[in-house]
Amino acid sequence: MKTILGREFPDYIDGYGKVTPFQGALKEAGIKTRKAVKMKCVNPYDSKLLDNLEQAFDKLNMKDGMTISFHHHLRNGDYVLNRVVEGLAKRGVKDLTIAASAIFPIHEPLVKYIENGVVTGLVANYISGPVAEAISKGKLKKPAIMQTHGGRARSIESGDLLIDVAFLAAPTADIYGNINGVYGDSACGTLGYAISDAEYADKTIAITDNLVPFPACPIQISQIFVDYVVQVESIGNPAGIVSGTTKITKDPVALIIAKRAAEVIKASGLVKDGMSFQTGAGGTSLAVALELKDIMQREGVVGSFASGGVTEPLVEMLEEGLFKTLFDVQCFDLKAISSFRNNVTHQAMSASMYGNPHTKGAVVNCLDIMILGATEIDTEFNVNVTTGSNGVIMGGSGGHSDTAAGSKLSIVVTKLINSRFPKIKDQVTTITTPGESIDVIVTERGIAVNPRRADLIEKLSSTNFPLVTIDELKTMAEDITGVLQTVQTLEKIVAVVEYRDGSVIDVVRGVY
Amino acid sequence: MKTILGREFPDYIDGYGKVTPFQGALKEAGIKTRKAVKMKCVNPYDSKLLDNLEQAFDKLNMKDGMTISFHHHLRNGDYVLNRVVEGLAKRGVKDLTIAASAIFPIHEPLVKYIENGVVTGLVANYISGPVAEAISKGKLKKPAIMQTHGGRARSIESGDLLIDVAFLAAPTADIYGNINGVYGDSACGTLGYAISDAEYADKTIAITDNLVPFPACPIQISQIFVDYVVQVESIGNPAGIVSGTTKITKDPVALIIAKRAAEVIKASGLVKDGMSFQTGAGGTSLAVALELKDIMQREGVVGSFASGGVTEPLVEMLEEGLFKTLFDVQCFDLKAISSFRNNVTHQAMSASMYGNPHTKGAVVNCLDIMILGATEIDTEFNVNVTTGSNGVIMGGSGGHSDTAAGSKLSIVVTKLINSRFPKIKDQVTTITTPGESIDVIVTERGIAVNPRRADLIEKLSSTNFPLVTIDELKTMAEDITGVLQTVQTLEKIVAVVEYRDGSVIDVVRGVY
């Protein structure tokens, strides 16, 4: 089978099932379903508080073949996923599927459980570190499923991804299961990626290291969705959960790229009252935010919202009145957490509200400007943020495809080459986000506009922007690096890359 | 068929269907289902804003036989229900079922639509005024269904009550359907009774008189649940929406009852740190709150939460540190609205979180003390708040049955007689709340404790409380009023009284 983007893979993949090929980013979605949920009612006088994880495993009737879910708000400081899987392994449970919104290097202990069959499936929006490498080496029995942030919410709410037990790392919880992320030693801010899990899993358990008297306040996840509560000594390492401060690049080349990107935004005509903006937490992306801030201040523009994973620069723009509100699915730093805790105009959003295409309208639909990164870009503007040029998994879409699809102007900021690898090439190793969703590529050597955006080309042409074609960018890159051979992969499919609507946009094959 | 409470009605009721008889308040609920929801996805560039209600009716494909829902946060100031039904009547739509969380005197125009067949069904938790009288006179084609606040959320979420279109009166909304109740001329505070409707109706439309730039902030109902938005000149009359200030009784007899009730609470041993409390908004109930406040202040007790429809006295207790938080399903006065808007410890709860028995634990399950009113009480402690002693519908459970079932101590405060009617009698006209949920009746002439609560009788006996039996109370009442004849009703069932779990606890028959 060959997709409209020219990628070839079978229409049935062992361990994944029947494949629906990618049909286009903005295909009319029509009527969709949020699935029914069965739950065990909790009556007055029932208690939810359990003594320890072992008792929880008993109560939850944990057994082989289950799908268990985790959120990644504790990022590289998360202790919960490892603790749970280790505990289940000790009980002899096997054949688990881990449905985690993201996997980080701290989850390295998973590798041995992948090797010994305790874990045979993995579904995530982003995978980096030893687990990603193990998957690329073909160690996981079934292909990993790589989703987008909105796509994960969609798959959980639609019933495509059935979760037996959601294990919710809870920075603060009370004995009846009310949860927030703003207090406690492991405070992480909003809990956007945990909402669908809590509401749609067969069973939901809160695991907390900060059990507070009833009721927790504020409540981000309600008691009505939580079956059990268990207290542990620590759910995470604060140093890995958030960075103390957000790092904006000091690299002079990256700063030039950021400046150019801001100029493109200005030239697009989108910088006006009511505008909305999102950027990733990468150093160059954040530098764009600072440049945009300058422009907004100079022109006296007040935007409607900034969104995303929220960082200090966005909080400062809120506090300085440049945006009326923030939509926050996860807090990236301490400043964001504190702002979310104290400022009502800093609003939480669930992953579903953020990017689920099968709702009555996600926030990404309302986005004017999105700043994106890329590992590779092909001459059709398709972007790879899933694998490195060596073919090994090193990330995933996260919100990349969601925001690119929804925003009016999506700009990829990137250097032309990454050490000795060209960023722009004929074929990307993996397609994460389709080129139709990408409007502009800004590099230090030139700016390429997607030919679909004739309107934008016209706007930028009337100025002195260094406009080039994407093919010219590719040639410039290859002039420096030489034409590199495409990485040789094995036949075996180690990961299936789902587009946000659940169709398959690409697969990742094993590496030697 | 005869229920365990001795009420007789058929096991099948025309226009209602098969009857599940009431089986007991705390029957183990087991596994229950939240229903699946179909929705039309909203894609980027789709618009939700419609020109007017007429266009909305077209878009919503309004037709005969539909069930349309409304919330009652605008109470006796609500313009939306009347406007919608009038508009549909003009289009010739008929056979509508109105699923409103409550019906007030302002909804008098419904009477003519009931008479002419535009409206043939009605589901509500509380019905007062001309519509209630019309129902009692047998004018509505199908029996009205009278639910509880928690039971309504349950029926919507389970799929027992299928809503075709939820019409949400929105004090503030943006063009993408984000809604709050804290700003605008028709501000009403929390929107707890609208949440299930918004999330589970086939279609949801926000009707607002305060359309604000995107995004509304704060967001109480998210854009992901709203199909359309329409702006109208006014959704309500502020004078009818909230009272400016809460009225606490000045009646000396009522004040004595309140003082006694507070003493019972104190004697119960429940006045201690972490305690929780709810009271209705009636004058006597509020007077109990003031008495309790005195006790808590004297004893230095800090409670966990107060809940319910929230009034100024509860807000003051929050602000004075007597409770750590409020759980608010509806704001009854301006002080409550302002507190909810400005104080994060004043938290909203949905009707489902408030009282739905088929969740993983509603807030009523966590209640220590509940103060209730009553129209009639029988010698089995069953309470009627649905009909007057003349047999005419004049209210309904609201949260009465929900809180009585959940709370550790439920106290009915009432005078012994109401003008010439005894409040305590052999048989209540209608059973709203089963006697097993009622612990104490406090009157000006004596206090009766439910014999099921031997523990409480023991605690109160050791003091000088004027304890009497419920039969003695009845005799005292009848000594004043004489034994009144039970009201003569027609055979025709005009309303079915559903308990919170959806079983039928009683029926209301027509009056002459």
Side-chain angles (χ1 to χ4, degrees):
Chain A
M1 181 163 62
K2 202 166 182 174
T3 71
I4 59 168
L5 303 180
R7 310 303 273 201
E8 288 182 66
F9 39 78
D11 58 6
Y12 185 92
I13 298 174
D14 281 341
Y16 176 79
K18 198 175 165 318
V19 169
T20 304
F22 174 73
Q23 304 277 353
L26 292 182
K27 178 172 64 95
E28 193 69 31
I31 306 289
K32 297 291 174 184
T33 303
R34 293 202 309 270
K35 82 180 185 87
V37 178
K38 284 199 185 305
M39 72 209 137
K40 185 164 183 308
C41 304
V42 172
N43 298 297
Y45 306 107
D46 286 349
S47 166
K48 297 185 182 185
L49 188 64
L50 305 179
D51 292 337
N52 49 48
L53 265 181
E54 284 302 305
Q55 193 191 4
F57 295 150
D58 287 337
K59 283 273 188 188
L60 293 163
N61 194 22
M62 298 306 301
K63 57 188 183 210
D64 294 356
M66 277 187 160
T67 296
I68 57 179
S69 90
F70 302 88
H71 67 72
H72 74 278
H73 287 281
L74 305 186
R75 282 175 288 268
N76 204 36
D78 171 47
Y79 292 163
V80 169
L81 193 158
N82 292 345
R83 272 292 306 277
V84 168
V85 177
E86 181 186 54
L88 292 172
K90 273 191 191 142
R91 292 164 77 92
V93 178
K94 54 187 189 298
D95 197 19
L96 293 168
T97 292
I98 307 292
S101 50
I103 294 287
F104 288 94
I106 196 171
H107 300 120
E108 184 275 336
L110 268 189
V111 173
K112 72 169 177 284
Y113 299 120
I114 285 172
E115 288 170 343
N116 68 13
V118 170
V119 173
T120 53
L122 199 146
V123 189
N125 314 338
Y126 181 94
I127 314 175
S128 69
V131 175
E133 287 157 27
I135 293 167
S136 277
K137 284 182 186 146
K139 291 182 175 176
L140 187 68
K141 187 175 171 194
K142 298 177 212 164
I145 302 173
M146 305 195 64
Q147 303 183 315
T148 75
H149 284 331
R152 180 177 195 269
R154 178 205 56 74
S155 74
I156 293 170
E157 297 186 6
S158 68
D160 285 355
L161 175 58
L162 295 170
I163 298 169
D164 292 297
V165 182
F167 290 91
L168 301 187
T172 292
D174 63 40
I175 58 165
Y176 218 54
N178 294 298
I179 296 169
N180 73 53
V182 296
Y183 293 108
D185 290 341
S186 305
C188 61
T190 62
L191 296 170
Y193 297 122
I195 310 291
S196 300
D197 305 49
E199 296 185 4
Y200 288 87
D202 275 5
K203 292 280 179 186
T204 297
I205 178 166
I207 301 176
T208 191
D209 54 5
N210 185 35
L211 189 70
V212 297
F214 183 89
C217 177
I219 293 171
Q220 293 168 237
I221 293 175
S222 165
Q223 62 187 40
I224 64 174
F225 300 115
V226 177
D227 296 275
Y228 300 113
V229 178
V230 69
Q231 190 175 15
V232 296
E233 198 178 305
S234 173
I235 61 168
N237 173 6
I241 296 173
V242 285
S243 57
T245 55
T246 309
K247 285 175 193 63
I248 297 168
T249 189
K250 287 181 177 164
D251 173 350
V253 176
L255 288 172
I256 288 171
I257 294 168
K259 200 169 188 66
R260 289 240 169 109
E263 286 162 2
V264 168
I265 294 170
K266 182 162 186 293
S268 75
L270 290 170
V271 179
K272 56 189 178 193
D273 284 348
M275 65 180 277
S276 56
F277 174 73
Q278 180 170 335
T279 181
T284 310
S285 297
L286 290 173
V288 180
L290 287 199
E291 294 289 341
L292 180 66
K293 181 176 171 178
D294 273 355
I295 297 172
M296 292 175 75
Q297 280 173 328
R298 268 203 310 275
E299 310 211 340
V301 166
V302 178
S304 58
F305 73 90
S307 55
V310 169
T311 52
E312 180 165 353
L314 289 188
V315 171
E316 285 174 355
M317 290 172 85
L318 175 72
E319 290 176 351
E320 290 169 27
L322 295 177
F323 289 105
K324 290 195 322 178
T325 188
L326 297 181
F327 280 128
D328 189 344
V329 67
Q330 74 170 320
C331 300
F332 275 118
D333 56 35
L334 293 173
K335 177 86 180 182
I337 295 173
S338 142
S339 167
F340 173 60
R341 187 167 49 223
N342 299 312
N343 184 344
V344 293
T345 67
H346 186 149
Q347 303 193 83
M349 63 179 171
S350 66
S352 199
M353 183 171 172
Y354 173 30
N356 179 352
H358 296 170
T359 68
K360 294 174 180 174
V363 166
V364 295
N365 289 4
C366 308
L367 252 186
D368 288 337
I369 303 148
M370 179 66 206
I371 307 300
L372 296 162
T375 309
E376 299 175 329
I377 306 152
D378 73 19
T379 50
E380 300 293 324
F381 290 80
N382 297 309
V383 174
N384 172 24
V385 290
T386 302
T387 48
S389 292
N390 59 359
V392 177
I393 295 166
M394 43 59 70
S397 174
H400 200 284
S401 307
D402 299 308
T403 52
S407 60
K408 291 192 185 66
L409 175 65
S410 66
I411 300 177
V412 171
V413 289
T414 181
K415 289 188 191 179
L416 206 55
I417 62 166
N418 176 21
S419 61
R420 60 184 191 84
F421 292 101
K423 295 277 240 174
I424 296 143
K425 41 205 295 199
D426 282 322
Q427 292 268 326
V428 290
T429 309
T430 310
I431 296 180
T432 312
T433 296
E436 64 170 299
S437 295
I438 303 295
D439 297 310
V440 187
I441 314 286
V442 177
T443 75
E444 73 277 24
R445 294 285 295 276
I447 296 169
V449 181
N450 193 323
R452 293 162 177 265
R453 292 299 304 272
D455 61 321
L456 204 56
I457 293 172
E458 196 185 323
K459 278 179 185 147
L460 298 187
S461 300
S462 62
T463 64
N464 58 352
F465 280 101
L467 288 194
V468 292
T469 66
I470 187 92
D471 290 292
E472 287 168 331
L473 277 186
K474 187 199 77 157
T475 305
M476 285 184 223
E478 289 180 347
D479 280 350
I480 303 168
T481 62
V483 178
L484 293 190
Q485 285 218 300
T486 308
V487 65
Q488 287 300 306
T489 57
L490 301 165
E491 194 56 32
K492 180 177 178 173
I493 292 170
V494 298
V496 175
V497 182
E498 284 189 353
Y499 190 64
R500 53 201 301 251
D501 62 3
S503 65
V504 174
I505 192 165
D506 209 344
V507 297
V508 179
R509 296 182 191 267
V511 292
Y512 288 96
Chain B
M1 181 164 63
K2 202 167 182 172
T3 71
I4 58 169
L5 304 179
R7 310 305 273 203
E8 287 182 67
F9 40 78
D11 57 8
Y12 183 93
I13 298 174
D14 281 340
Y16 177 80
K18 197 174 167 317
V19 168
T20 304
F22 174 73
Q23 304 278 353
L26 292 183
K27 178 173 66 93
E28 192 70 30
I31 306 290
K32 296 291 175 186
T33 302
R34 292 203 309 270
K35 83 178 185 87
V37 178
K38 283 199 185 305
M39 72 208 136
K40 185 162 183 308
C41 304
V42 173
N43 298 297
Y45 307 107
D46 287 350
S47 166
K48 297 184 181 185
L49 188 64
L50 305 178
D51 292 338
N52 49 49
L53 264 182
E54 284 301 307
Q55 193 191 5
F57 294 150
D58 287 337
K59 284 273 190 188
L60 293 163
N61 194 21
M62 299 304 303
K63 55 188 185 211
D64 294 357
M66 277 187 161
T67 297
I68 56 179
S69 91
F70 302 88
H71 67 72
H72 74 278
H73 288 281
L74 305 185
R75 280 173 291 268
N76 205 36
D78 171 46
Y79 292 164
V80 168
L81 192 157
N82 292 345
R83 269 294 306 277
V84 168
V85 177
E86 181 187 54
L88 292 172
K90 274 193 191 141
R91 292 165 76 93
V93 178
K94 53 188 189 298
D95 197 19
L96 294 168
T97 293
I98 307 292
S101 50
I103 294 287
F104 289 94
I106 196 171
H107 299 121
E108 184 275 337
L110 266 190
V111 173
K112 72 168 178 284
Y113 298 120
I114 286 172
E115 287 170 344
N116 68 12
V118 169
V119 173
T120 54
L122 199 147
V123 189
N125 314 337
Y126 181 93
I127 314 176
S128 69
V131 175
E133 287 156 27
I135 293 168
S136 277
K137 283 180 186 148
K139 291 184 176 175
L140 187 69
K141 187 175 172 196
K142 297 176 214 165
I145 303 173
M146 304 194 65
Q147 303 183 315
T148 75
H149 285 329
R152 179 176 195 271
R154 179 205 56 73
S155 75
I156 293 171
E157 297 186 6
S158 69
D160 284 356
L161 174 57
L162 295 171
I163 298 170
D164 292 298
V165 182
F167 289 91
L168 302 187
T172 292
D174 63 40
I175 58 165
Y176 219 55
N178 294 298
I179 297 169
N180 74 55
V182 296
Y183 294 108
D185 289 342
S186 306
C188 60
T190 63
L191 296 170
Y193 297 123
I195 310 290
S196 301
D197 304 48
E199 295 185 4
Y200 288 87
D202 275 4
K203 293 280 179 186
T204 297
I205 179 166
I207 300 175
T208 190
D209 54 5
N210 185 36
L211 189 69
V212 296
F214 183 88
C217 176
I219 293 171
Q220 291 168 239
I221 294 176
S222 165
Q223 61 187 41
I224 64 174
F225 300 116
V226 178
D227 295 276
Y228 300 113
V229 178
V230 68
Q231 190 175 15
V232 296
E233 198 177 305
S234 174
I235 62 168
N237 174 6
I241 297 172
V242 285
S243 57
T245 54
T246 310
K247 287 174 192 64
I248 297 168
T249 188
K250 288 180 177 166
D251 173 350
V253 176
L255 287 173
I256 288 169
I257 293 169
K259 201 170 188 64
R260 288 239 169 110
E263 285 162 1
V264 168
I265 293 171
K266 183 163 187 294
S268 75
L270 290 170
V271 179
K272 56 188 178 194
D273 285 346
M275 67 180 278
S276 56
F277 173 73
Q278 179 169 334
T279 180
T284 310
S285 296
L286 290 174
V288 179
L290 288 198
E291 294 289 344
L292 180 66
K293 180 176 170 176
D294 274 354
I295 296 172
M296 290 175 76
Q297 281 172 328
R298 268 202 312 276
E299 309 212 341
V301 166
V302 177
S304 58
F305 73 91
S307 55
V310 168
T311 53
E312 181 165 353
L314 289 188
V315 171
E316 285 172 354
M317 290 172 86
L318 175 72
E319 290 175 351
E320 290 169 27
L322 295 176
F323 289 105
K324 291 197 317 176
T325 188
L326 298 182
F327 280 127
D328 187 345
V329 68
Q330 74 171 319
C331 299
F332 275 118
D333 55 35
L334 293 173
K335 176 87 178 179
I337 296 173
S338 140
S339 168
F340 172 60
R341 188 167 46 223
N342 299 312
N343 185 344
V344 293
T345 67
H346 186 148
Q347 302 192 84
M349 63 179 171
S350 67
S352 198
M353 184 172 170
Y354 173 30
N356 180 351
H358 296 169
T359 69
K360 294 174 181 174
V363 166
V364 296
N365 289 4
C366 307
L367 254 184
D368 288 337
I369 303 147
M370 180 68 208
I371 307 300
L372 296 161
T375 310
E376 299 175 329
I377 306 151
D378 73 19
T379 50
E380 300 294 325
F381 290 80
N382 297 309
V383 173
N384 173 23
V385 289
T386 302
T387 49
S389 292
N390 59 359
V392 178
I393 295 166
M394 42 58 71
S397 174
H400 199 285
S401 307
D402 300 307
T403 52
S407 60
K408 292 191 183 66
L409 175 65
S410 66
I411 300 177
V412 171
V413 290
T414 181
K415 290 187 190 179
L416 207 55
I417 62 166
N418 175 23
S419 60
R420 60 186 191 82
F421 292 101
K423 296 277 241 175
I424 295 142
K425 41 205 294 198
D426 282 322
Q427 292 269 327
V428 289
T429 309
T430 310
I431 296 181
T432 312
T433 296
E436 64 171 297
S437 296
I438 303 295
D439 298 309
V440 187
I441 314 285
V442 177
T443 73
E444 73 277 25
R445 295 284 295 275
I447 295 168
V449 180
N450 193 324
R452 294 162 176 263
R453 293 297 306 269
D455 60 321
L456 203 56
I457 293 171
E458 197 186 322
K459 277 180 184 147
L460 299 186
S461 300
S462 63
T463 63
N464 58 353
F465 281 101
L467 286 194
V468 293
T469 67
I470 187 90
D471 291 291
E472 287 168 331
L473 277 186
K474 186 198 78 157
T475 307
M476 287 183 218
E478 289 180 345
D479 280 351
I480 304 168
T481 62
V483 178
L484 293 191
Q485 284 219 299
T486 307
V487 64
Q488 287 301 304
T489 58
L490 301 164
E491 194 56 33
K492 179 177 179 173
I493 292 170
V494 298
V496 175
V497 182
E498 284 189 353
Y499 190 62
R500 55 201 300 254
D501 62 2
S503 65
V504 174
I505 192 165
D506 209 344
V507 298
V508 180
R509 296 180 191 269
V511 293
Y512 290 95

